Amino acid sequence: MMNNVLSILIAVGIGLPVVSLAVEALRRSPSPPAQLHWAPDIPIQYVEVKGIRLRYIKTGRGPVLVLLHTLRTQLDLFEKVVPKLAGDFTVYALDLPGHGYSDIPAVKYDAEFFADAVEGFLEALNLNDVMLAGVSIGGAIPLIVAARRNSRITRVVAINPYDYVQGRGMARGSLSARLVVMAAGIPVLGETVMRLRNMFIMKNVFEGGVSDPRSIPPQLLKEMYLTGNRKGHYRALINLLRNAESWQSATRNYARIKVPVLFLWGDQDWARPDEREQDHRLVPGASMVTVERGGHFLPLDRPDEVVRHLREFYRHTASLDGLDNL
């Protein structure tokens, strides 16, 4: 009896990874869209940064604002806020490496790599006097870049930065997210689970990051699912999750930050109050605001509040420098 059970377990252990490889091979890799479904008049552009081709958009006029998305999403995460911000800022939003329709290099996807990529993006486009803002890892990257004393950055808005609990905060969102995070740390199993992904699992993971599931546009969810079918995309995500501790490790340099910083938290974000306060204490002179009825994907849940706080933070810091032009 025991031998039969053992044989079944071995067969499943070998067969499931093989099946997952076949499933992945049959997925159709999507073609990059010619235009944004939510803003067809904003041109999609590409720039090469240290040999990596990054997709980005530019719109609006005024002071420079660069937006950085979360892990596993893409620049379209900001579809609700970009059109409104374009009236006050020259807005840039990009797909981070391994995300969206940017290149998927075979590298170590840790915090330093993403910070290097963003610094390279600013240099490639020669952007100066930048307000660098983002969500999740996109919220932690501006803090890392500012801690490096990058002279192109003049102010930072960190929205729900992902730099606590050894990078496993996503596991607090839902059961599906918890299983994905746990599996990602196990060789073979992590790859197998990722290759067997489906829309139901992805939808459940994303709904764990908002206060109201209706705040996620169905078209956005569909596009992000299809983007995940790009060759090598799932491997990049596993790589990122396996290097997730690097985001918390980077907080040891936050005390070096000299530019104005605003921490913007959703009250239902995955970070707990003590973890939010820890970030606040680490950055000298930082401001902190909590938005009610806001989850991790705050630009989807509370877009008007995100826009309002970005505008107010810029006005406040610019007025201190005598540069208020909004």
Side-chain angles (χ1 to χ4, degrees), residues 180 183-195 234 238 242:
V180 167
I186 304 174
V188 181
L189 177 62
E191 286 79 359
T192 300
V193 169
M194 290 293 186
R195 289 191 292 259
Y234 81 93
I238 293 175
R242 288 177 178 168

Side-chain angles (χ1 to χ4, degrees), residues 8-311:
I8 292 172
L9 291 175
I10 292 174
V12 170
I14 295 173
L16 201 56
V18 172
V19 169
S20 72
L21 285 167
V23 169
E24 187 65 25
L26 292 173
R27 294 185 191 274
R28 295 181 59 184
S29 184
S31 299
Q35 61 184 30
L36 303 172
H37 73 271
W38 50 273
D41 294 335
I42 299 177
I44 294 174
Q45 304 182 63
Y46 291 85
V47 63
E48 186 168 310
V49 175
K50 301 179 181 180
I52 303 171
R53 191 168 180 254
L54 301 180
R55 184 180 77 143
Y56 76 97
I57 58 171
K58 173 189 176 184
T59 186
R61 53 193 292 177
V64 176
L65 169 64
V66 177
L67 298 174
L68 306 175
H69 61 79
T70 75
L71 64 86
R72 185 51 185 91
T73 65
Q74 53 203 62
L75 63 83
D76 306 272
L77 178 73
F78 299 105
E79 66 175 67
K80 293 183 180 181
V81 300
V82 165
K84 297 176 181 179
L85 290 167
D88 300 295
F89 299 95
T90 300
V91 183
Y92 292 81
L94 64 144
D95 288 341
L96 295 170
H99 294 74
Y101 289 95
S102 288
D103 280 352
I104 307 174
V107 297
K108 183 179 180 180
Y109 283 77
D110 62 3
E112 292 296 306
F113 166 69
F114 286 104
D116 288 346
V118 170
E119 286 191 305
F121 177 81
L122 301 178
E123 182 177 350
L125 297 183
N126 194 28
L127 302 182
N128 294 291
D129 297 321
V130 176
M131 181 159 78
L132 193 57
V135 188
S136 189
I137 65 168
I141 292 168
L143 296 167
I144 297 169
V145 173
R148 293 176 175 182
R149 308 281 179 82
N150 188 301
S151 61
R152 297 178 184 273
I153 307 302
T154 55
R155 48 187 60 80
V156 163
V157 179
I159 305 170
N160 296 332
Y162 194 77
D163 55 9
Y164 49 91
V165 70
Q166 287 77 51
R168 296 194 297 271
M170 188 176 78
R172 295 172 176 172
S174 66
L175 177 59
S176 293
R178 192 173 306 118
L179 293 175
V180 167
V181 171
M182 290 175 57
I186 304 174
V188 181
L189 177 62
E191 286 79 359
T192 300
V193 169
M194 290 293 186
R195 289 191 292 259
L196 293 175
R197 66 192 178 279
N198 56 53
M199 177 61 88
F200 174 80
I201 292 175
M202 180 180 163
K203 184 173 183 288
N204 186 260
V205 170
F206 275 95
E207 287 181 349
V210 291
S211 64
D212 183 352
R214 294 172 297 180
S215 66
I216 306 175
Q219 181 64 26
L220 174 63
L221 191 65
K222 178 181 178 181
E223 184 164 346
M224 289 194 297
Y225 175 73
L226 292 175
T227 304
N229 291 338
R230 294 182 64 210
K231 300 303 180 185
H233 189 282
Y234 81 93
R235 292 187 183 278
L237 177 57
I238 293 175
N239 190 326
L240 195 164
L241 292 174
R242 288 177 178 168
N243 287 287
E245 289 186 15
S246 64
W247 298 101
Q248 183 167 350
S249 298
T251 64
R252 62 174 174 262
N253 295 318
Y254 285 4
R256 290 176 46 81
I257 297 173
K258 296 297 184 181
V259 299
V261 171
L262 169 65
F263 286 101
L264 189 59
W265 297 98
D267 66 343
Q268 297 176 39
D269 181 59
W270 302 325
R272 294 170 179 162
D274 63 309
E275 292 160 342
R276 303 175 194 181
E277 286 293 341
Q278 172 70 3
D279 267 359
H280 190 205
R281 286 194 299 269
L282 288 174
V283 180
S287 302
M288 187 168 74
V289 174
T290 300
V291 176
E292 294 183 358
R293 303 190 312 281
H296 190 67
F297 303 115
L298 200 59
L300 297 180
D301 262 333
R302 301 301 307 279
D304 290 343
E305 285 297 289
V306 170
V307 170
R308 180 171 74 86
H309 285 293
L310 286 171
R311 286 173 176 161

